[in-house]
C-alpha cells in the first residue's frame, strides 16, 4: 500500500492545531496530530519541507521502518519539533493500518486491557472558595479524578487560572504575556487549598495538582511533604526534569506520588526517572513523544518499574491525539489515568470523532482506525492565528523563571 499524498492542515477553531493527512493508493486515509503549542508553524514547515517529500511512494504498512527513517535518517535526533512531526506521521500510519485491518486501533496494539479509560478534569478558581466550587461542579459531572489549581493571594496571574472563560487556554496572546511568581507565597497557599478541597469532597475523589516546573527540588520536597495529609493522586512537574537526578531529593522528602513528562519527547528524557523509580506516572503522550511507536517503547520500559501512564491531554493537543491516546490507554497494561481538558463544541465539530465521555470515563470508539478525522471545509474557515504561552517572572525583581 503506497503513500500517494500527504497534506499538512493548519487551522485555528478557537486555538491552533496542525493536522497531518496521509492518503494511500488503496483509498485509505490516516490522520495524525502535530500540534506543538506556540511553535505550530515550525512543525508544519518541518513536515511540509522535509518529511512529506520523503513519504511519497513509501509502503504505508512499514510503520517501524518509516519511524526509524525519520528518527535516525535525519541525523539530528529528538527535540519537540522533530518528534511531533514523527508523532503525527506515526499516528496517521497506525490509523491507516487499523483501517486496512478493519479494526479499531486498540485491537492491533494487543486488544482491550480495560473496559474504559479513567480521566481527570481541571478545576480552576481565582481563590480557594472558587476552586472548591469548581471541584464540586466537576464531581457532579461524574469525574472521579480532579486536578485543582487556584490563584495565589498577592500574585496577579497564576498557571491554570483564567478569568471568566469556560475553557482555560494558556496560549492567551499574539505575543507572550507576563505572569508574576513567588514560590514562598505559593508554598504557603497550596496546602491550604488542598485542606479545603479534601474537606469538601471527602476521601473518595482522586485529587491532582500541577506545579508546572516552578519549584526547586528542595521546595518541591517540602510541598510534597506538606500535601501528604490530603493524599494526592499525583503532584505534577514539581521541578524541571532536565536534571533527572534532582528527583532523588524530592523522593527522599515525600511519599506524595509524582508525575512528570508532558514536555518529554523520547525515552531518553525519562530513562533515569523511571529506572531509579523517581516518579510514579509518566505523562508523555503520542503527539510529542513520537506517536504510538515512540510512546509504546516508553510505556513498556516504565512497566518494568511499576511506573504507570498518565498521558498529557490538554486542549493544545487536537482531538486526533486524544482519539489515538484513548486506543493506547485501552490497551496499555500499565495504564494510570488520562488527562481530559475538554475541547469546546467548535473544536469537536472540526474534528469528527467517535470517542465519548460518560460519568468520569472516556470510551474509545469501535470504528476502524483511531476514530478521529478532520472536516477540512470547516477547518478552512479558521486560519492560523499567532498565539503564545505566557512567560513567568519573579514578583520582587523580574527574574525570568519557569512558567
Ligand atoms: C498542562 C498543560 O495539561 C497540563 O498539565 O501543564 O496545559 C500545558 O501548560 C500546556 O500543554 C502547554 O502547552
Ligand atoms: Mg502539566
Amino acid at each position: 500500500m503506497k503513500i500517494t499524498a500527504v497534506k499538512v492542515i493548519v487551522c485555528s477553531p478557537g486555538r491552533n492545531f496542525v493536522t497531518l493527512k496521509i492518503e494511500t493508493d488503496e483509498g485509505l486515509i490516516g490522520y495524525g496530530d502535530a500540534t506543538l503549542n506556540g511553535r505550530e508553524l515550525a512543525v508544519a514547515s518541518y513536515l511540509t519541507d522535509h518529511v512529506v517529500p520523503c513519504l511519497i511512494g513509501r509502503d504505508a504498512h512499514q510503520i517501524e521502518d518509516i519511524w526509524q527513517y525519520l528518527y535516525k535518517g535525519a541525523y539530528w535526533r529528538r527535540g519537540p519539533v522533530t518528534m511531533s512531526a514523527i508523532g503525527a506521521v506515526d499516528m496517521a500510519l497506525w490509523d491507516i493500518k487499523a483501517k486496512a485491518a478493519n479494526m479499531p486501533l486498540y485491537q492491533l496494539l494487543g486488544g482491550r486491557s480495560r473496559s474504559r479509560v479513567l480521566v481527570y478534569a481541571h478545576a480552576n478558581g481565582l481563590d480557594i472558595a472558587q476552586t472548591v466550587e469548581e471541584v464540586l461542579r466537576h464531581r457532579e459531572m461524574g469525574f472521579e479524578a480532579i486536578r485543582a489549581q487556584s490563584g495565589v493571594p498577592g500574585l496577579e496571574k497564576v498557571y491554570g487560572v483564567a478569568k471568566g472563560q469556560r475553557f482555560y487556554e494558556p496560549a492567551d496572546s499574539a505575543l507572550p504575556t507576563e505572569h508574576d511568581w513567588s514560590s514562598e507565597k505559593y508554598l504557603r497557599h497550596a496546602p491550604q487549598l488542598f485542606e479545603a478541597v479534601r474537606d469538601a469532597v471527602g476521601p473518595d475523589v482522586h485529587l491532582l495538582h500541577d506545579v508546572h516546573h516552578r519549584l526547586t527540588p528542595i521546595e518541591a520536597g517540602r510541598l510534597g511533604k506538606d500535601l501528604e495529609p490530603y493524599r494526592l493522586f499525583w503532584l505534577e512537574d514539581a521541578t524541571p526534569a532536565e536534571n533527572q537526578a534532582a528527583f532523588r531529593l524530592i523522593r527522599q522528602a515525600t511519599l506524595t506520588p509524582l508525575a512528570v513528562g508532558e514536555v518529554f519527547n523520547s525515552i531518553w528524557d525519562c530513562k533515569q526517572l523511571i529506572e531509579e523509580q523517581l516518579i510514579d506516572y509518566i505523562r508523555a503522550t503520542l503527539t510529542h513523544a513520537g506517536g504510538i511507536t515512540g510512546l509504546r517503547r516508553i510505556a513498556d520500559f516504565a512497566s518494568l518499574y511499576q511506573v504507570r501512564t498518565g498521558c498529557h491531554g490538554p486542549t493544545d493537543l487536537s482531538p486526533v491525539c486524544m482519539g489515538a491516546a484513548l486506543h493506547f490507554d485501552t490497551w496499555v497494561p500499565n495504564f494510570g489515568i488520562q488527562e481530559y481538558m475538554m475541547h469546546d463544541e467548535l473544536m469537536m465539530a472540526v474534528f469528527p470523532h467517535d470517542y465519548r465521555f460518560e460519568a468520569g470515563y472516556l470510551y474509545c470508539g469501535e470504528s476502524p482506525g483511531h476514530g478521529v478525522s478532520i472536516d477540512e471545509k470547516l477547518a478552512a474557515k479558521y486560519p492560523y492565528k499567532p498565539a503564545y504561552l505566557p512567560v513567568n517572572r519573579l514578583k520582587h525583581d523580574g527574574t525570568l523563571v519557569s512558567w
Side-chain angles (χ1 to χ4, degrees):
M1 181 168 46
K2 283 208 174 357
I3 297 174
T4 49
V6 186
K7 190 168 171 189
V8 181
I9 304 157
V10 181
C11 65
S12 192
R15 73 150 356 275
N16 293 318
F17 294 113
V18 181
T19 309
L20 189 73
K21 176 184 177 188
I22 299 184
E23 293 178 56
T24 62
D25 59 359
E26 292 183 18
L28 294 175
I29 297 177
Y31 298 93
D33 175 33
T35 310
L36 182 63
N37 204 1
R39 295 293 183 272
E40 296 87 356
L41 298 184
V43 186
S45 148
Y46 189 97
L47 281 165
T48 307
D49 298 329
H50 306 297
V51 173
V52 172
C54 303
L55 290 177
I56 306 297
R58 270 175 207 285
D59 179 359
H61 274 307
Q62 292 189 3
I63 299 178
E64 186 64 51
D65 184 68
I66 291 176
W67 197 96
Q68 299 293 343
Y69 182 89
L70 295 174
Y71 183 82
K72 294 178 183 162
Y75 186 66
W76 309 107
R77 297 178 187 214
R78 303 162 62 187
V81 174
T82 300
M83 296 308 286
S84 301
I86 295 179
V89 172
D90 189 82
M91 226 179 287
L93 293 179
W94 277 101
D95 192 24
I96 288 171
K97 197 185 269 299
K99 283 170 179 162
N102 200 24
M103 283 179 181
L105 175 56
Y106 72 83
Q107 291 291 12
L108 281 197
L109 296 175
R112 193 175 271 287
S113 297
R114 57 196 50 80
S115 54
R116 52 190 185 162
V117 173
L118 175 69
V119 297
Y120 71 90
H122 285 206
N124 310 320
L126 290 175
D127 54 24
I128 292 181
Q130 212 183 77
T131 306
V132 168
E133 225 174 84
E134 276 296 289
V135 169
L136 293 173
R137 189 172 72 81
H138 283 89
R139 186 69 187 125
E140 264 161 39
M141 288 163 73
F143 285 98
E144 295 179 9
I146 303 167
R147 185 186 98 157
Q149 305 293 136
S150 146
V152 175
L155 295 181
E156 257 310 286
K157 292 178 185 162
V158 168
Y159 165 76
V161 182
K163 262 189 197 139
Q165 282 168 6
R166 190 168 146 223
F167 293 92
Y168 171 61
E169 173 47 69
D172 59 2
S173 183
L175 281 174
T177 54
E178 305 225 338
H179 289 189
D180 56 0
W181 183 247
S182 155
S183 293
E184 294 76 15
K185 289 186 201 305
Y186 166 73
L187 285 169
R188 276 199 303 274
H189 182 71
Q192 294 168 24
L193 167 68
F194 279 92
E195 185 182 6
V197 170
R198 181 54 84 199
D199 196 46
V201 291
D204 287 333
V205 178
H206 296 308
L207 294 177
L208 299 83
H209 183 62
D210 192 351
V211 186
H212 228 246
H213 325 270
R214 292 173 172 205
L215 298 177
T216 64
I218 196 77
E219 290 168 342
R222 153 72 63 202
L223 178 62
K225 197 168 159 185
D226 288 350
L227 293 177
E228 277 176 15
Y230 316 114
R231 296 291 167 100
L232 262 56
F233 184 93
W234 81 32
L235 184 65
E236 178 186 338
D237 287 336
T239 199
E242 287 100 327
N243 174 12
Q244 299 180 44
F247 278 75
R248 290 181 186 150
L249 186 61
I250 311 176
R251 261 304 199 229
Q252 279 166 26
T254 181
L255 288 174
T256 294
L258 303 173
V260 172
E262 67 182 38
V263 300
F264 292 169
N265 44 68
S266 100
I267 196 161
W268 299 103
D269 297 324
C270 47
K271 183 168 173 290
Q272 186 181 9
L273 285 171
I274 291 171
E275 235 166 19
E276 291 189 29
Q277 293 177 266
L278 300 177
I279 56 170
D280 301 281
Y281 296 92
I282 179 70
R283 300 257 303 127
T285 195
L286 300 174
T287 296
H288 300 147
I292 299 274
T293 303
L295 192 64
R296 189 171 62 174
R297 277 196 253 285
I298 296 176
D300 276 342
F301 179 63
S303 76
L304 302 180
Y305 300 92
Q306 299 196 49
V307 172
R308 291 185 284 167
T309 63
C311 284
H312 193 203
T315 37
D316 50 81
L317 291 163
S318 89
V320 172
C321 179
M322 178 58 83
L326 290 173
H327 285 267
F328 185 84
D329 295 339
T330 297
W331 157 73
V332 71
N334 49 327
F335 172 74
I337 200 164
Q338 167 69 50
E339 181 178 19
Y340 180 44
M341 217 168 134
M342 288 186 271
H343 296 100
D344 67 19
E345 291 82 2
L346 176 61
M347 296 173 191
M348 296 314 277
V350 168
F351 294 95
H353 56 282
D354 69 353
Y355 63 81
R356 64 188 173 87
F357 172 78
E358 200 187 309
Y361 292 81
L362 278 169
Y363 296 76
C364 68
E366 291 293 329
S367 54
H370 58 47
V372 188
S373 59
I374 183 166
D375 178 337
E376 290 183 62
K377 261 203 191 137
L378 188 56
K381 289 190 185 159
Y382 304 96
Y384 169 80
K385 258 171 72 184
Y388 287 96
L389 293 170
V391 298
N392 216 15
R393 292 187 184 277
L394 289 187
K395 191 175 172 66
H396 69 279
D397 70 358
T399 304
L400 198 110
V401 290
S402 303
W403 169 66

